[in-house]
Amino acid sequence: EVQLLESGGGLVQPGGSLRLSCTASGFTFGDYAMTWVRQAPGKGLEWVSVINGGGGNTIYADSVKGRFTISRDNTKRTLSLQMNSLKPEDTAVYYCAKSRVLGITYPPNFSNYDYWGQGTQVTVSS
């Protein structure tokens, strides 16, 4: 059974940092690209970033470029999102999701991701 479990969310002040983690099980982690997607209150899903199976290729949404860094440790089956210089508009539930393929598919299409975690809340507020 495929499982994705996010952690690391919380309340942070504007300008602060958080590191999200997503621990995977039930599939060969390094064989698939992984992505982070977020959903702000009252809004639809927003794609954030994607990383290929090997970890060497990444793409970011313009809204987070230069502030967020996606990474993965295939030996630990863990996906991470380092978030710096956080803004109130980054407030959202953050989800990790598994791609159907090894490489990056871009532009992002949510139908390309077949398993999702339950999400972790990030709140940026003073």
Side-chain angles (χ1 to χ4, degrees):
E1 178 188 6
V2 173
Q3 290 190 332
L4 300 171
L5 182 62
E6 300 97 336
S7 61
L11 173 64
V12 62
Q13 292 187 341
S17 297
L18 279 176
R19 186 176 182 87
L20 305 183
S21 294
C22 170
T23 302
S25 61
F27 64 102
T28 306
F29 184 66
D31 282 356
Y32 299 92
M34 297 290 295
T35 195
W36 287 99
V37 176
R38 67 186 182 185
Q39 187 168 26
K43 296 188 177 181
L45 293 174
E46 177 189 12
W47 173 80
V48 173
S49 183
V50 64
I51 187 168
N52 71 327
N57 293 320
T58 59
I59 302 178
Y60 297 90
D62 287 344
S63 58
V64 306
K65 198 174 296 181
R67 300 188 298 121
F68 290 12
T69 302
I70 190 171
S71 62
R72 64 191 297 161
D73 184 334
N74 288 347
T75 63
K76 297 181 179 179
R77 307 172 63 83
T78 300
L79 175 73
S80 298
L81 186 69
Q82 178 66 42
M83 305 186 296
N84 298 329
S85 303
L86 282 162
K87 305 175 181 180
E89 52 263 43
D90 294 318
T91 294
V93 178
Y94 284 71
Y95 301 92
C96 66
K98 169 189 168 293
S99 173
R100 299 179 188 271
V101 297
L102 173 66
I104 291 175
T105 56
Y106 189 83
N109 185 328
F110 296 136
S111 66
N112 290 334
Y113 304 109
D114 53 2
Y115 291 92
W116 297 67
Q118 85 292 343
T120 186
Q121 176 71 48
V122 172
T123 302
V124 184
S125 175
S126 54

PDB file of all heavy atoms in Angstrom, residues 12 39 61 74 89 95-96 99:
ATOM      1  N   VAL A  12       4.409  30.224  11.718  1.00  0.00           N
ATOM      2  CA  VAL A  12       5.684  30.930  11.621  1.00  0.00           C
ATOM      3  C   VAL A  12       5.411  32.385  11.267  1.00  0.00           C
ATOM      4  O   VAL A  12       4.417  32.693  10.596  1.00  0.00           O
ATOM      5  CB  VAL A  12       6.596  30.253  10.569  1.00  0.00           C
ATOM      6  CG1 VAL A  12       5.987  30.305   9.184  1.00  0.00           C
ATOM      7  CG2 VAL A  12       7.987  30.850  10.586  1.00  0.00           C
ATOM      8  N   GLN A  39      -2.777  24.241  -0.973  1.00  0.00           N
ATOM      9  CA  GLN A  39      -4.131  24.760  -1.108  1.00  0.00           C
ATOM     10  C   GLN A  39      -4.373  25.782  -0.017  1.00  0.00           C
ATOM     11  O   GLN A  39      -4.441  25.429   1.168  1.00  0.00           O
ATOM     12  CB  GLN A  39      -5.170  23.644  -1.046  1.00  0.00           C
ATOM     13  CG  GLN A  39      -6.577  24.123  -1.340  1.00  0.00           C
ATOM     14  CD  GLN A  39      -7.550  22.985  -1.557  1.00  0.00           C
ATOM     15  OE1 GLN A  39      -7.366  21.882  -1.052  1.00  0.00           O
ATOM     16  NE2 GLN A  39      -8.579  23.240  -2.347  1.00  0.00           N
ATOM     17  N   ALA A  61       7.372  26.832  -9.012  1.00  0.00           N
ATOM     18  CA  ALA A  61       6.415  27.853  -9.387  1.00  0.00           C
ATOM     19  C   ALA A  61       7.061  29.227  -9.196  1.00  0.00           C
ATOM     20  O   ALA A  61       7.887  29.406  -8.296  1.00  0.00           O
ATOM     21  CB  ALA A  61       5.158  27.741  -8.527  1.00  0.00           C
ATOM     22  N   ASN A  74      16.683   9.457  -1.373  1.00  0.00           N
ATOM     23  CA  ASN A  74      16.081   8.191  -1.783  1.00  0.00           C
ATOM     24  C   ASN A  74      16.430   7.049  -0.836  1.00  0.00           C
ATOM     25  O   ASN A  74      15.674   6.081  -0.739  1.00  0.00           O
ATOM     26  CB  ASN A  74      16.487   7.856  -3.210  1.00  0.00           C
ATOM     27  CG  ASN A  74      15.800   8.749  -4.232  1.00  0.00           C
ATOM     28  OD1 ASN A  74      14.842   9.450  -3.901  1.00  0.00           O
ATOM     29  ND2 ASN A  74      16.306   8.757  -5.453  1.00  0.00           N
ATOM     30  N   GLU A  89       0.984  34.975   2.241  1.00  0.00           N
ATOM     31  CA  GLU A  89       0.333  34.296   1.119  1.00  0.00           C
ATOM     32  C   GLU A  89       0.818  32.866   0.907  1.00  0.00           C
ATOM     33  O   GLU A  89       0.294  32.140   0.055  1.00  0.00           O
ATOM     34  CB  GLU A  89       0.496  35.102  -0.176  1.00  0.00           C
ATOM     35  CG  GLU A  89       1.917  35.505  -0.502  1.00  0.00           C
ATOM     36  CD  GLU A  89       2.243  36.920  -0.049  1.00  0.00           C
ATOM     37  OE1 GLU A  89       1.848  37.307   1.083  1.00  0.00           O
ATOM     38  OE2 GLU A  89       2.920  37.636  -0.820  1.00  0.00           O
ATOM     39  N   TYR A  95       0.682  19.553   0.426  1.00  0.00           N
ATOM     40  CA  TYR A  95       0.580  18.130   0.132  1.00  0.00           C
ATOM     41  C   TYR A  95       1.784  17.669  -0.673  1.00  0.00           C
ATOM     42  O   TYR A  95       2.223  18.369  -1.591  1.00  0.00           O
ATOM     43  CB  TYR A  95      -0.667  17.829  -0.697  1.00  0.00           C
ATOM     44  CG  TYR A  95      -1.969  18.221  -0.063  1.00  0.00           C
ATOM     45  CD1 TYR A  95      -2.531  19.462  -0.293  1.00  0.00           C
ATOM     46  CD2 TYR A  95      -2.654  17.325   0.758  1.00  0.00           C
ATOM     47  CE1 TYR A  95      -3.739  19.832   0.278  1.00  0.00           C
ATOM     48  CE2 TYR A  95      -3.866  17.677   1.336  1.00  0.00           C
ATOM     49  CZ  TYR A  95      -4.403  18.922   1.091  1.00  0.00           C
ATOM     50  OH  TYR A  95      -5.599  19.268   1.668  1.00  0.00           O
ATOM     51  N   CYS A  96       2.282  16.491  -0.376  1.00  0.00           N
ATOM     52  CA  CYS A  96       3.221  15.843  -1.284  1.00  0.00           C
ATOM     53  C   CYS A  96       2.442  14.831  -2.106  1.00  0.00           C
ATOM     54  O   CYS A  96       1.412  14.296  -1.660  1.00  0.00           O
ATOM     55  CB  CYS A  96       4.377  15.178  -0.542  1.00  0.00           C
ATOM     56  SG  CYS A  96       3.934  13.780   0.510  1.00  0.00           S
ATOM     57  N   SER A  99       4.390  11.096  -8.521  1.00  0.00           N
ATOM     58  CA  SER A  99       4.142  11.087  -9.956  1.00  0.00           C
ATOM     59  C   SER A  99       3.935   9.660 -10.455  1.00  0.00           C
ATOM     60  O   SER A  99       4.316   8.696  -9.804  1.00  0.00           O
ATOM     61  CB  SER A  99       5.313  11.725 -10.690  1.00  0.00           C
ATOM     62  OG  SER A  99       5.171  11.588 -12.088  1.00  0.00           O
TER      63      SER A  99
END
